[in-house]
Amino acid sequence: MSAPVDRLILQSDWEQTLRERHGKAWVAFKSSAPPSEYSEVIGHGTSPEGLLYLTSKDKEFSISDITKRSLVVTYCGESATLTRKFVSPTITFTGLHTHKKQVTCLDTTSGGLGVSCDSEGKLKIWQTSDGEVRRELLGHVGDVYTCRFFPSGIVILSAGADTMIKIWSAESGSCAATITGHKAAVLDSAIVDRGRNIITSSRDGTAKLWDVGQQTCLATFEDIGGDVNCCSLEVPENTIELGTPVSQSDREVATEGKMLLLGCENGSLQGFGLASREQIFSLHLESAINTCTFVSDIYSVCGSQDGHIHIVDLRNTSQPLKSWKESRGPVLSMLSHKGGFFTSTGDGSCFHINERWETTTELTGSDCDPVYKVCDDGSNIYTSCRDGFIRKYSLNYIN
C-alpha cells in the first residue's frame, strides 16, 4: 500500500491564541521520511478590521493571505516545498449536545436547519444561524448512526442501533413513519430522488430499497460479505453499463440510471445498478471501508479504517486510480465539493482534496478528537466531533 504523504499541521486553536499580542501557535512539517520540522507562528496584534499581524519563527515557514478566519502556511525546506490553507470555524456550537457526548452524525439544509445525533441517542433539530434547538426527536432506543434531511428540507430520516428507520416532520417533530426489516443496526442511508424511496445499509450484511409511503421493502441487496458500513447513490456517465432494470412496481420511483455504491467491513467497495439489482463491480481493498461517495459521474472515492483514501474511476474498476494515506487516523466521512471532496478522520483532521486529488485546505478546531461527519448547506461546511461540538466554517474563506 502507498506511503504516507507530507503534511503541514497548525495548532488547532491558532485563531484564538494568535489574537493575543505575542501569542504563539505551533506549526509542523510532517515529512513522509522523518525527521519532521517544527516552528512557531507569532502574533503581533490585529488591525482595526480584525486582521492578524503574523510572522513565523523560522525562515523555512512563511505566512501569507491572512484573513479573519484563514491563513496560508508555506514550508520551503531542502527536500520539499508544501503549501496549505488553514481555516478556523466562524461559530462553534458548544451547547447543542451534552459536553463530551460525541456528536456522531449531522446534516443541514439551505433553509437554515440542522439535525444531529449524539452518543446518548439524542436526535435534535436546530437553527444553523445560532444553534438554538427547535425540536428533540424522541423514539429511538440506543445510538443513532445516520440522520439526514429529505430534499424538501422539512422531512428527516434517521436510523441506528435499534434497527428502526424513522421518518420525522422537521416542523412538528412528530414521527410520521417507522420502517422495520433489518436484523441488525442500520449504519447509513441515502435518499432516492425526492424521497418516495430510500436506501439503508446495515450490520446485517444487506442494503435495502424501501417504499417510504407504505413502509415496505422493494429490494434487498445481499450476499455482500459482512457489515455494510456506508452507501451512496448517483447517476453515473451513461456509458457505464448498469444492467437491465427488473420489473418495477409503481411504488418504485426514479431508480433507473442510478448506481448504488456500498462500502463494506470486509474491505470491498461494490457498485450495483439500483434498478437492475445487478452487481456492476466489486473492488477489494486492504481495510474496512468506512465511507464512500461520488465526486462526479465518473469518479467515486472511499476511505478506509487504515487511513487510506482511494479514488475509483467507474469506467475501470479493476483497481483504484489512486490510493494514498495522509498519516492520519481512520477515514470517517467524505463530502463531495467542487469536483473534489472534504474528508474527516479519526485524529481530528478535516481537509479538502481538489479535482487534481491534491490536499489544499485544512479545517481546524478539533484537538485530536475524531471528526465523525462533514456536511454543507451551500454556504457553510459543518463538522460533528467526539468533543461534543459542532463547528461551522464559511465557504467564503475556504473556496
Side-chain angles (χ1 to χ4, degrees):
M1 194 58 79
S2 56
V5 298
D6 295 339
R7 299 174 57 191
L8 274 171
I9 307 173
L10 183 62
Q11 183 174 317
S12 62
D13 60 349
W14 64 269
E15 193 272 338
Q16 300 174 43
T17 60
L18 293 178
R19 289 198 175 278
E20 303 172 8
R21 190 166 184 81
H22 305 303
K24 297 178 181 179
W26 60 262
V27 62
F29 170 73
K30 290 282 190 178
S31 173
S32 56
S36 299
E37 294 194 38
Y38 298 86
S39 186
E40 290 179 339
V41 180
I42 303 169
H44 300 282
T46 59
S47 71
E49 296 77 27
L51 300 181
L52 297 166
Y53 294 124
L54 306 173
T55 58
S56 59
K57 180 181 176 182
D58 299 293
K59 62 181 178 62
E60 289 85 1
F61 294 86
S62 61
I63 312 299
S64 62
D65 299 326
I66 303 166
T67 73
K68 290 182 180 181
R69 299 290 178 185
S70 66
L71 55 79
V72 172
V73 178
T74 297
Y75 170 82
C76 188
E78 293 183 1
S79 60
T81 298
L82 190 62
T83 298
R84 291 284 186 274
K85 175 186 275 191
F86 293 89
V87 179
S88 67
T90 53
I91 302 176
T92 298
F93 299 120
T94 60
L96 266 171
H97 293 272
T98 305
H99 184 53
K100 292 299 180 182
K101 295 299 180 184
Q102 51 193 304
V103 185
T104 52
C105 192
L106 85 162
D107 194 20
T108 54
T109 75
S110 58
L113 288 181
V115 61
S116 55
C117 52
D118 63 28
S119 54
E120 288 186 325
K122 292 184 177 178
L123 187 61
K124 297 182 179 182
I125 303 172
W126 42 277
Q127 297 177 171
T128 56
S129 58
D130 57 11
E132 180 183 347
V133 176
R134 299 281 294 273
R135 298 277 186 275
E136 186 167 344
L137 307 180
L138 303 175
H140 279 291
V141 180
D143 291 350
V144 178
Y145 296 135
T146 177
C147 59
R148 64 178 65 247
F149 283 96
F150 281 67
S152 66
I154 57 173
V155 180
I156 293 168
L157 179 157
S158 68
D162 59 8
T163 76
M164 292 190 292
I165 304 155
K166 289 184 174 290
I167 311 298
W168 309 85
S169 165
E171 296 175 317
S172 67
S174 61
C175 181
T178 297
I179 302 172
T180 59
H182 278 296
K183 297 178 181 179
V186 180
L187 302 176
D188 201 6
S189 60
I191 295 173
V192 183
D193 200 47
R194 297 177 62 85
R196 285 184 61 180
N197 301 142
I198 61 172
I199 298 284
T200 54
S201 63
S202 170
R203 199 165 277 153
D204 66 10
T206 71
K208 291 180 180 289
L209 172 68
W210 303 92
D211 168 34
V212 173
Q214 294 187 348
Q215 297 97 60
T216 56
C217 180
L218 299 174
T220 298
F221 299 84
E222 50 193 352
D223 299 324
I224 294 170
D227 300 4
V228 187
N229 294 331
C230 55
C231 61
S232 186
L233 199 62
E234 191 54 84
V235 177
E237 184 184 77
N238 57 17
T239 60
I240 298 171
E241 177 59 43
L242 296 178
T244 303
V246 299
S247 178
Q248 297 180 4
S249 75
D250 59 3
R251 306 301 303 180
E252 186 171 336
V253 180
T255 58
E256 286 193 37
K258 291 184 172 63
M259 179 183 286
L260 173 62
L261 205 61
L262 302 178
C264 306
E265 186 69 18
N266 67 1
S268 67
L269 180 71
Q270 302 182 35
F272 292 83
L274 183 57
S276 69
R277 325 298 198 229
E278 293 180 22
Q279 186 180 81
I280 308 304
F281 72 89
S282 181
L283 176 62
H284 290 271
L285 303 165
E286 295 187 4
S287 182
I289 305 301
N290 294 331
T291 180
C292 61
T293 193
F294 293 84
V295 292
S296 72
D297 62 354
I298 58 174
Y299 295 119
S300 66
V301 61
C302 65
S304 60
Q305 181 67 19
D306 65 3
H308 278 86
I309 296 167
H310 306 278
I311 308 294
V312 178
D313 187 332
L314 299 173
R315 299 164 298 183
N316 179 8
T317 56
S318 59
Q319 62 183 9
L321 178 68
K322 181 180 179 179
S323 297
W324 75 100
K325 183 177 181 179
E326 303 247 350
S327 299
R328 307 169 191 263
V331 180
L332 302 178
S333 174
M334 289 174 161
L335 172 71
S336 176
H337 180 73
K338 286 196 167 182
F341 55 96
F342 285 93
T343 295
S344 69
T345 73
D347 75 349
S349 302
C350 187
F351 50 100
H352 183 255
I353 295 168
N354 66 18
E355 67 280 2
R356 296 184 297 277
W357 318 131
E358 300 166 339
T359 303
T360 59
T361 304
E362 302 263 355
L363 306 184
T364 60
S366 171
D367 186 12
C368 299
D369 284 299
V371 178
Y372 292 115
K373 190 71 175 180
V374 55
C375 72
D376 76 309
D377 62 7
S379 301
N380 304 279
I381 298 294
Y382 300 80
T383 62
S384 64
C385 187
R386 186 177 67 180
D387 61 14
F389 299 160
I390 292 173
R391 294 177 173 89
K392 176 180 178 179
Y393 303 82
S394 172
L395 283 170
N396 291 334
Y397 293 104
I398 296 172
N399 293 332

